[in-house]
């Protein structure tokens, strides 16, 4: 089944404790992105990647890191999480620039 | 950065009433996409519009792309409780897919 898989689905952590949210897609898509969703603000892009080893900042990259060592995986790293990073995070992939995006199930992160 | 303005932010309708959400961009768009997110779910692609003035229908949903390719709308005729959720438009700026803030639709039965 074609899908985007994120893990974990839920995470509660403490300020400053490094964490990684994994994202994997099995559709051989070129493009992958991370978004955060906050009430009233919609989906804001954190980082995106056009291919292996090619990444670029989205609109809200501060406090986040990504890597794209393999085509299928695009992990999101929070080196030192802060409470303002409490949010719902979505990973998405798409085949090419102008094709539909497929989203993962989401990761609800709480930083206390 | 690039922005797609979407209104209204929230709409609460009686079942059977119509619903419309609008997206606007200050720049000409190459295409526009629409997504639906059910409560507790993830965004799911509905449709993509590419041509100036394009109109596409999916059952009770009608999607339009403006003549100048700077605006788009999604209209739902005779809403049902299954229509509840958040509707997002999204536009491509270079390699970035930028989403509007979304319109939350609630339907009273």
């Amino acid at each position: 089944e074609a899908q985007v898989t994120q893990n974990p689905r839920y995470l509660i952590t403490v300020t400053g404790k490094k964490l990684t949210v994994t994202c994997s897609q099995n559709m051989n898509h070129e493009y992958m992105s991370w978004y955060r969703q906050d009430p009233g603000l919609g989906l804001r892009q954190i980082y995106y990647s056009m291919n292996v080893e090619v990444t670029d900042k989205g609109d809200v990259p501060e406090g986040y890191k990504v890597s794209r060592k393999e085509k299928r995986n695009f992990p999101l790293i929070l080196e030192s999480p802060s409470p303002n990073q409490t949010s719902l995070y979505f990973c998405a992939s798409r085949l090419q620039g102008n094709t539909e995006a497929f989203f993962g199930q989401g990761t609800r992160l709480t930083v206390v | 950065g690039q922005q797609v303005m979407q209104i209204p932010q929230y709409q609460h309708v009686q079942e059977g009433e119509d619903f419309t959400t609008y997206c606007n961009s200050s720049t000409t768009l190459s295409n526009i996409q629409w997504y639906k997110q059910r409560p507790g779910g993830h965004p799911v692609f509905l449709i993509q519009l590419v041509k100036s003035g394009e109109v596409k229908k999916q059952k009770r949903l009608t999607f339009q792309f403006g003549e100048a390719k700077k605006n788009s709308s999604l209209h739902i005729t005779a809403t049902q409780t299954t229509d509840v959720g958040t509707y997002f438009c999204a536009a491509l700026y270079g390699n970035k897919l930028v989403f509007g803030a979304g319109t939350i639709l609630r339907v009273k039965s």
Side-chain angles (χ1 to χ4, degrees):
Chain A
E1 179 190 353
Q3 59 186 1
V4 179
T5 304
Q6 288 178 235
N7 280 296
R9 293 288 310 279
Y10 301 92
L11 179 60
I12 301 174
T13 190
V14 296
T15 299
K17 185 177 181 181
K18 180 180 179 180
L19 68 91
T20 299
V21 183
T22 63
C23 175
S24 181
Q25 52 94 4
N26 62 1
M27 296 170 279
N28 201 36
H29 284 175
E30 302 280 336
Y31 289 74
M32 297 186 74
S33 304
W34 277 102
Y35 294 87
R36 61 178 287 174
Q37 184 174 20
D38 302 288
L41 298 177
L43 293 160
R44 293 182 294 167
Q45 192 170 58
I46 303 170
Y47 269 95
Y48 64 102
S49 169
M50 291 78 76
N51 212 325
V52 174
E53 302 291 4
V54 182
T55 63
D56 205 351
K57 294 178 180 178
D59 296 317
V60 288
E62 295 77 21
Y64 304 95
K65 286 175 57 177
V66 293
S67 68
R68 188 96 181 270
K69 294 184 170 61
E70 307 164 279
K71 197 171 189 179
R72 64 183 292 124
N73 295 322
F74 191 45
L76 179 69
I77 302 157
L78 285 72
E79 294 272 3
S80 183
S82 62
N84 64 13
Q85 292 177 299
T86 292
S87 187
L88 178 58
Y89 291 85
F90 286 103
C91 178
S93 73
R94 59 192 203 274
L95 180 61
Q96 297 171 355
N98 63 346
T99 55
E100 67 181 276
F102 293 80
F103 282 80
Q105 297 295 316
T107 296
R108 186 165 292 282
L109 172 66
T110 302
V111 184
V112 298
Chain B
Q2 302 92 343
Q3 275 189 312
V4 181
M5 305 304 295
Q6 188 172 357
I7 57 170
Q9 182 177 353
Y10 181 84
Q11 190 151 5
H12 201 168
V13 300
Q14 189 72 37
E15 188 174 21
E17 290 182 342
D18 292 356
F19 159 78
T20 306
T21 173
Y22 302 89
C23 274
N24 290 285
S25 170
S26 59
T27 58
T28 302
L29 303 172
S30 58
N31 62 26
I32 195 152
Q33 300 177 350
W34 286 92
Y35 293 77
K36 177 183 179 181
Q37 182 182 24
R38 294 182 187 276
H42 59 280
V44 175
F45 175 81
L46 293 175
I47 207 161
Q48 176 169 275
L49 305 173
V50 178
K51 300 176 184 175
S52 168
E54 188 169 15
V55 178
K56 287 189 176 180
K57 293 191 175 185
Q58 290 179 349
K59 297 182 180 178
R60 294 177 295 102
L61 277 61
T62 302
F63 305 84
Q64 292 190 319
F65 202 7
E67 293 289 342
K69 300 182 73 173
K70 289 186 175 182
N71 59 77
S72 182
S73 65
L74 158 58
H75 179 82
I76 302 178
T77 303
T79 55
Q80 300 175 357
T81 54
T82 53
D83 295 324
V84 300
T86 304
Y87 292 84
F88 292 99
C89 60
L92 200 60
Y93 293 94
N95 291 312
K96 288 175 57 176
L97 188 61
V98 177
F99 284 77
T103 296
I104 300 171
L105 172 64
R106 293 288 178 258
V107 179
K108 293 179 287 188
S109 60

